[in-house]
Amino acid sequence: NSLNKSFSELFPHPSPLLIEAVENVFKTGKSSRTEIFSQRLKKHILIIMFTSSKDEIVCLINDITDARKTEKELLEKEREIRNLMANLPGMAYRCLNDYNWTMLFASQGSIDLSGYSPEELTKEIKPWNDIIHPDDRGNVWLTVQKAREEKSYFHIEYRIITKQGEIKNVWEKGLG
C-alpha cells in the first residue's frame, strides 16, 4: 500500500536519522540500511534505500517489530542465565569430547574451584585435562565416554590440581 507514494506521504515527520540516510543515498549513490521506530505505526521498521535514477530513491520497507521483540527477549534470557551461572556454587561448563576437554564455556565458578579463569580455560591456556590429577584422567575419560555412548548422565569424583598446586576432590555431574 506504499507503492509510488512520496517520501513525505510515507514519513510525514521523519527522524533526523532517516533524513540523513536519504541525503547520503542521493549524495553518494550508495545504498543505505536504516532502522527506525515509527511512533505513528508503533512498529520497528527496517528501510533499505538505493537510487534507481538521479532523482529517485527506491525504499524497501520491512516491519521488524517481532524480530526486535524476540531479540529483546533473548537478551533478557541471556542476562538471566548469566546471573544464574554467576551464582551457582562450583563450576558449570561445556566442552568438546576430546582428550583435552577443550572448553567452549566455563562459568566464573572456575576461579574458586581451580584458580583458573574462564578465559584461561576456554582459550586453552590451561586445558582441563591438565588440571585433572594424572592418576584420575583415565577414569574420567572412560566414565564420560560410557555416558556419551549411552546418552545418559554420569556422576564422578576425581581430583584436580589447582593453579596454586593444591589438590582438590571434585564431584561432577554431567550429560554425555
Side-chain angles (χ1 to χ4, degrees):
N1 64 355
S2 58
L3 193 61
N4 294 321
K5 290 194 176 178
S6 71
F7 182 82
S8 58
E9 287 175 294
L10 290 173
F11 305 101
H13 306 288
S15 70
L17 178 69
L18 186 56
I19 292 170
E20 183 182 340
V22 170
E23 288 173 349
N24 283 338
V25 171
F26 271 127
K27 286 178 190 173
T28 66
K30 294 181 180 176
S31 64
S32 169
R33 179 184 171 100
T34 307
E35 289 185 27
I36 63 167
F37 180 77
S38 169
Q39 291 291 347
R40 185 171 53 98
L41 300 173
K42 303 289 186 229
K43 293 187 179 282
H44 290 273
I45 307 292
L46 171 64
I47 304 167
I48 299 172
M49 295 177 271
F50 55 92
T51 57
S52 61
S53 68
K54 276 186 171 182
D55 60 350
E56 187 175 79
I57 289 181
V58 176
C59 293
L60 304 173
I61 303 170
N62 195 9
D63 177 0
I64 57 170
T65 305
D66 289 342
R68 288 297 160 255
K69 181 182 175 195
T70 301
E71 180 181 17
K72 184 178 177 182
E73 289 169 355
L74 285 172
L75 288 171
E76 178 60 24
K77 291 289 182 204
E78 183 180 323
R79 187 190 64 75
E80 288 173 10
I81 289 171
R82 232 185 264 125
N83 284 340
L84 175 67
M85 290 298 209
N87 292 305
L88 278 176
M91 174 180 145
Y93 70 88
R94 181 172 179 176
C95 70
L96 296 178
N97 185 44
D98 61 12
Y99 202 69
N100 276 332
W101 304 112
T102 301
M103 295 286 174
L104 303 173
F105 166 82
S107 70
Q108 288 295 319
S110 67
I111 297 169
D112 288 338
L113 182 70
S114 69
Y116 293 98
S117 70
E119 293 75 26
E120 288 174 297
L121 297 174
T122 57
K123 291 185 172 45
E124 293 189 78
I125 294 165
K126 186 66 172 180
W128 190 251
N129 196 54
D130 289 356
I131 296 170
I132 298 172
H133 192 283
D135 294 343
D136 295 344
R137 290 176 187 160
N139 186 43
V140 171
W141 177 259
L142 293 174
T143 300
V144 173
Q145 296 315 303
K146 182 178 183 222
R148 193 175 150 273
E149 288 170 16
E150 296 172 357
K151 294 181 175 45
S152 64
Y153 287 94
F154 64 88
H155 304 261
I156 188 169
E157 290 184 42
Y158 58 94
R159 295 167 291 171
I160 63 170
I161 304 169
T162 69
K163 190 173 188 174
Q164 297 75 23
E166 178 186 354
I167 294 178
K168 282 188 179 178
N169 290 307
V170 296
W171 176 82
E172 183 173 331
K173 178 182 179 181
L175 176 62

